[in-house]
Amino acid sequence: MEFFIDTAIVEEIKEAESWGILDGVTTNPTKIAQAGRPFLEVVKEICQVINGPVSAEAVSLDAEGMVKEARELSRISKNIVVKIPLIREGIKAIKVLSKEGIKTNATIGFSPLQALLAAKVGATYFSPFIGRLDNVGHIGMDVVRQIRTIYKNYGFKTKIIVSAVRHPIHVLEAALAGADVATMTFEIMRMLVEHPMTDIGLKKFLQDWEKVPK
Ligand code: E4P
């Protein structure tokens, strides 16, 4: 299972990369705005600090505009994956881009049928926003389980990125559901690498170690 960090803040990416568990980065217009830097400048820098896939989102609302943006973004680096929203124009754009070999992340996804459509048109990734489904009273992870079954039934290669992850249990459930990737904030990734019981256990071992005769 791959771990992506959901941020456009380069310092967070560098820190998570140093832990040895980071496989890629996802951004979106909100994350770029939070970083407070020009879009292309920050995306280029992210591609320099990490080897894995870096998702950058197209903001056009028509297929032609999305394809144009995607071609430009894909020239930045071989790492670039272009996020395309799953509106009707987005589906059309993904079809064109997949034929050109440009990697896509079908985004703002909420249903297994959207995942089926994304796979049919050749999306590299599909991103179900499970935390946002939980927020409105649906069990987001059920969608991930259904997508896994659909992709298995038909041998689709599209990878599932469990997105809008809110806590470590979402990561656990994503792994149990067989998701390919979970993308999470720096804070959630930090929670995964720090376990208070391990800290307490280590403290006791080191205290006892002091008692060993020298
Ligand atoms: C995924 O690629 C998205 O950037 C992200 O997970 C959105 O989630 P949010 O609900 O935390 O904004």
Side-chain angles (χ1 to χ4, degrees), residues 4 11 16 25 37 45 51 62 64 86 89 99 106 114 124 129 148 152 154 168-170 184-185 194 210:
F4 291 179
E11 293 69 33
V25 177
R37 298 175 54 191
E45 190 177 343
N51 258 334
D62 62 302
E64 201 182 322
L86 264 168
E89 290 296 301
K99 282 191 180 146
Q114 286 179 307
T124 317
F129 280 24
R148 187 74 287 162
K152 185 165 173 280
Y154 296 99
I169 296 298
H170 274 154
M184 64 202 87
T185 60
E194 290 174 6
E210 289 301 312

Side-chain angles (χ1 to χ4, degrees), residues 6-7 26-31 34 55 57 83 105 107-108 127-132 135 161-166 183-185:
D6 200 20
T7 185
T26 48
T27 69
N28 62 37
T30 303
K31 304 283 178 193
Q34 285 165 352
S55 284
E57 191 154 338
K83 267 187 166 178
N105 177 349
T107 192
I108 329 180
S127 291
F129 280 24
I130 55 117
R132 295 194 193 184
N135 287 349
I161 305 180
V162 172
S163 304
V165 162
R166 300 288 182 248
T183 190
M184 64 202 87
T185 60

Side-chain angles (χ1 to χ4, degrees), residues 13-33:
I13 297 167
K14 284 183 180 166
E15 177 62 17
E17 164 79 348
S18 75
W19 301 338
I21 56 168
L22 187 65
D23 300 295
V25 177
T26 48
T27 69
N28 62 37
T30 303
K31 304 283 178 193
I32 297 289

Side-chain angles (χ1 to χ4, degrees), residues 144-213:
V144 176
R145 288 183 269 271
Q146 289 180 339
I147 299 168
R148 187 74 287 162
T149 302
I150 292 167
Y151 284 2
K152 185 165 173 280
N153 286 349
Y154 296 99
F156 285 125
K157 297 282 178 264
T158 302
K159 290 185 173 180
I160 307 166
I161 305 180
V162 172
S163 304
V165 162
R166 300 288 182 248
H167 44 67
I169 296 298
H170 274 154
V171 181
L172 171 64
E173 288 179 326
L176 290 171
D180 302 283
V181 186
T183 190
M184 64 202 87
T185 60
F186 177 81
E187 187 54 17
I188 294 171
M189 202 170 278
R190 190 193 58 73
M191 288 179 198
L192 295 183
V193 296
E194 290 174 6
H195 199 298
M197 292 300 288
T198 303
D199 293 343
I200 291 167
L202 176 61
K203 194 172 170 200
K204 176 81 173 80
F205 279 161
L206 292 178
Q207 281 166 353
D208 290 343
W209 185 247
E210 289 301 312
K211 298 173 196 156
V212 174

